[in-house]
Amino acid sequence: MPFLLIKLHKPRVEVLFYIACGLFLFTPFNVNILGYDSISIFILSLIFSLSVLYLQKANLYLLLLLSFICSLAVLIRLPNILVVPIVFLVMVFSGKLQKGNYSVNLPVMFMLLTIFFILFGFSIYYANLEEFFAASANSSSHDLKMLFYNYFLHGLKMLLIVSLILAGHFIFKKAEDKMPKYMLYAGAGLIFIILIGLFVIRTKYSQNYSLFLTSLALSMVIVSMIENRKDWLNFPNLALYLYILFLFINPFGSNTGLLKAASLFLLLPFILSFHNFKPQPYWVVILVILLPFALIEKLSGTYEDKSIPALNTPVNISLLTPISTTKTRAAYLEKIDMEVNELKKNNVQVYFYGDKSHIFHYLYPATNMNINSFFQPVDELVYYPKIVKVINGKQRTAIFIVDSYPGDRSKDLLSVEFSLIRDGFKRVKMEPIIYYLRIKE
């Protein structure tokens, strides 16, 4: 998007090279195309592009467009609210670039319009404030202590990695004229391989790789800022500062700490092309080592609990024909499909509830209980009144509680399950599935 919106004076081959490298390095990350995180990446990339354009030429239509799209970002994911003060600052500094002084008239107009769009959007989506707060709470998975602990831990890791990359860069530059090139490249390559071995070992969800990639982006931006420090408030430098701020919007409010910062690594090729970045030998050495590592990480890394080679079993359900998964999950899906069809034959109304129930809402749209939140906790009764309202008056009802993947199910009954049993539901256990059935005579 930034390449489409902002004109660059760079050779096309160089730009395409940066894009190819950026996409290849990003391949280890598994992305749910329809997930709100992925939509956030799309929306934040668009806002970033329009913000850079606004720095270049402040127009009223851009202000209105940014106001509307920023409100969409917040409606998609509440923690994206961080984008609003960032764009406000963009508009303040754009006045300095355009007119030579700071002005708050247009930025204040932007804030007021954005707040109006956000409130209007939430008023349409949620019936009342209680429903909004319930959807925003996201159960116990966003414990504040855990959230700040992850921020602190990941921040320390990234600080260490950035320090080592920058130290290596400046040592490399100092030694460039004093050592034979083959020795310099070999030494830098060896140090970088050790660095990867120490800090980027394979972890679930590619955690260390995610932090490393963000650290690499920060290091490259910091070097560009140092090399262009003479006029620190010029247009290209402001775009660099903006990029650093945008990196940390997606992690805001995330219980995964700073891992989601890597999502906007995708914008780095534009930053390198836009800011007249010089592809120095040091970065080439890093690239030569990191590209094959990205491929290895993709094949051997895990999403949830399995690597790509383990996803070798097709699912015998028509709507999931192109999908391959593990044998356990394929059997689980097919068993549920058979049971749902059997229940429907017996005129039983079927529903699915739980954090992992979305695939079944896709397969059987009528099983959705019209709960707006992506998160549907089973260890809390936040949405139980809504469940009662949906099933009230129905004679034959089955509710599948899907809060985990097969094999991860807790043996203990959870709050929602206790409440269903109290309200006359019988627990039906047919390995590997469990559901609750109530038939009124």
Side-chain angles (χ1 to χ4, degrees):
M1 282 184 289
F3 284 108
L4 293 173
L5 292 173
I6 296 145
K7 189 175 181 181
L8 297 173
H9 302 285
K10 272 270 187 179
R12 186 174 295 178
V13 174
E14 190 175 332
V15 171
L16 290 174
F17 174 74
Y18 289 145
I19 292 172
C21 290
L23 290 173
F24 201 96
L25 292 175
F26 198 74
T27 54
F29 299 106
N30 293 275
V31 179
N32 177 0
I33 300 303
L34 298 179
Y36 63 93
D37 280 337
S38 301
I39 298 171
S40 282
I41 294 170
F42 174 81
I43 292 288
L44 291 175
S45 299
L46 180 57
I47 295 170
F48 173 82
S49 308
L50 291 171
S51 298
V52 174
L53 194 60
Y54 193 93
L55 282 170
Q56 195 174 34
K57 47 180 181 180
N59 288 322
L60 188 59
Y61 82 89
L62 280 175
L63 183 148
L64 294 172
L65 194 56
L66 276 166
S67 178
F68 179 70
I69 297 173
C70 284
S71 65
L72 284 183
V74 178
L75 292 171
I76 290 164
R77 181 175 175 268
L78 187 57
N80 285 343
I81 192 74
L82 193 61
V83 77
V84 178
I86 290 173
V87 175
F88 175 85
L89 289 174
V90 165
M91 293 183 175
V92 169
F93 279 97
S94 72
K96 175 70 173 175
L97 286 176
Q98 305 294 326
K99 301 171 186 176
N101 57 16
Y102 298 103
S103 173
V104 294
N105 294 333
L106 290 178
V108 167
M109 186 192 298
F110 160 79
M111 289 288 282
L112 292 174
L113 279 170
T114 306
I115 291 167
F116 169 76
F117 286 138
I118 290 170
L119 292 176
F120 180 71
F122 278 130
S123 69
I124 293 172
Y125 196 67
Y126 296 106
N128 50 52
L129 278 174
E130 288 75 17
E131 191 175 330
F132 163 71
F133 285 126
S136 302
N138 184 12
S139 184
S140 58
S141 62
H142 279 56
D143 178 74
L144 284 177
K145 287 182 181 177
M146 182 180 70
L147 190 145
F148 285 109
Y149 173 76
N150 285 336
Y151 284 164
F152 178 74
L153 186 65
H154 294 166
L156 281 181
K157 282 186 179 180
M158 284 174 55
L159 182 63
L160 179 60
I161 295 169
V162 168
S163 300
L164 290 171
I165 292 174
L166 291 178
H169 174 264
F170 292 114
I171 291 169
F172 189 95
K173 285 195 74 174
K174 289 283 185 184
E176 210 166 6
D177 298 328
K178 300 174 183 177
M179 287 177 64
K181 284 188 178 180
Y182 73 92
M183 286 183 62
L184 187 62
Y185 295 164
L190 181 61
I191 291 168
F192 200 74
I193 289 169
I194 294 170
L195 184 61
I196 288 177
L198 290 173
F199 297 107
V200 200
I201 53 173
R202 184 168 59 87
T203 53
K204 194 173 183 180
Y205 307 117
S206 302
Q207 287 184 7
N208 289 343
Y209 181 74
S210 171
L211 296 174
F212 188 87
L213 219 55
T214 307
S215 301
L216 180 63
L218 285 172
S219 302
M220 297 176 92
V221 169
I222 289 168
V223 168
S224 289
M225 287 165 59
I226 291 170
E227 290 177 351
N228 297 275
R229 62 187 179 277
K230 288 182 181 179
D231 189 2
W232 69 281
L233 268 183
N234 66 7
F235 173 47
N237 277 347
L238 284 176
L240 288 181
Y241 311 146
L242 184 63
Y243 176 65
I244 291 176
L245 291 174
F246 264 75
L247 278 177
F248 295 99
I249 294 173
N250 237 12
F252 183 61
S254 170
N255 62 338
T256 56
L258 297 177
L259 297 184
K260 289 180 181 175
S263 61
L264 289 186
F265 177 85
L266 287 169
L267 292 173
L268 184 64
F270 168 75
I271 289 295
L272 299 181
S273 304
F274 171 76
H275 207 271
N276 199 26
F277 178 81
K278 297 173 184 175
Q280 298 163 351
Y282 179 75
W283 303 116
V284 174
V285 170
I286 291 178
L287 204 59
V288 167
I289 295 164
L290 208 54
L291 287 175
F293 179 83
L295 180 60
I296 295 166
E297 183 73 9
K298 178 66 176 177
L299 294 174
S300 61
T302 61
Y303 181 71
E304 300 300 347
D305 59 0
K306 297 293 177 184
S307 61
I308 282 179
L311 308 177
N312 52 19
T313 307
V315 183
N316 190 25
I317 298 174
S318 59
L319 284 173
L320 300 178
T321 301
I323 305 299
S324 289
T325 184
T326 62
K327 283 186 179 181
T328 304
R329 291 184 187 174
Y332 175 74
L333 288 166
E334 289 166 13
K335 180 79 173 177
I336 285 185
D337 189 56
M338 289 173 60
E339 192 61 23
V340 167
N341 290 331
E342 190 64 31
L343 288 166
K344 285 182 176 179
K345 283 180 187 176
N346 294 320
N347 296 318
V348 176
Q349 181 69 53
V350 179
Y351 294 101
F352 283 85
Y353 176 84
D355 281 352
K356 309 297 182 188
S357 62
H358 308 293
I359 190 170
F360 300 108
H361 296 157
Y362 162 69
L363 292 172
Y364 325 107
T367 65
N368 193 339
M369 291 188 176
N370 299 318
I371 294 170
N372 290 327
S373 176
F374 183 86
F375 298 96
Q376 300 178 9
V378 294
D379 53 347
E380 296 176 7
L381 297 178
V382 176
Y383 292 112
Y384 196 72
K386 195 149 194 172
I387 294 173
V388 172
K389 188 177 180 181
V390 169
I391 63 176
N392 192 33
K394 291 182 170 59
Q395 299 299 310
R396 306 167 72 83
T397 314
I399 299 178
F400 287 76
I401 302 297
V402 190
D403 65 307
S404 61
Y405 292 104
D408 297 336
R409 182 69 164 85
S410 170
K411 292 182 181 179
D412 299 326
L413 290 179
L414 298 159
S415 301
V416 169
E417 295 173 304
F418 273 119
S419 298
L420 288 171
I421 292 169
R422 181 199 64 201
D423 289 342
F425 280 82
K426 178 184 175 183
R427 193 172 198 248
V428 180
K429 191 171 183 180
M430 302 172 59
E431 291 294 345
I433 64 174
I434 297 170
Y435 65 92
Y436 291 82
L437 180 67
R438 184 174 72 181
I439 297 176
K440 293 181 179 179
E441 298 299 336

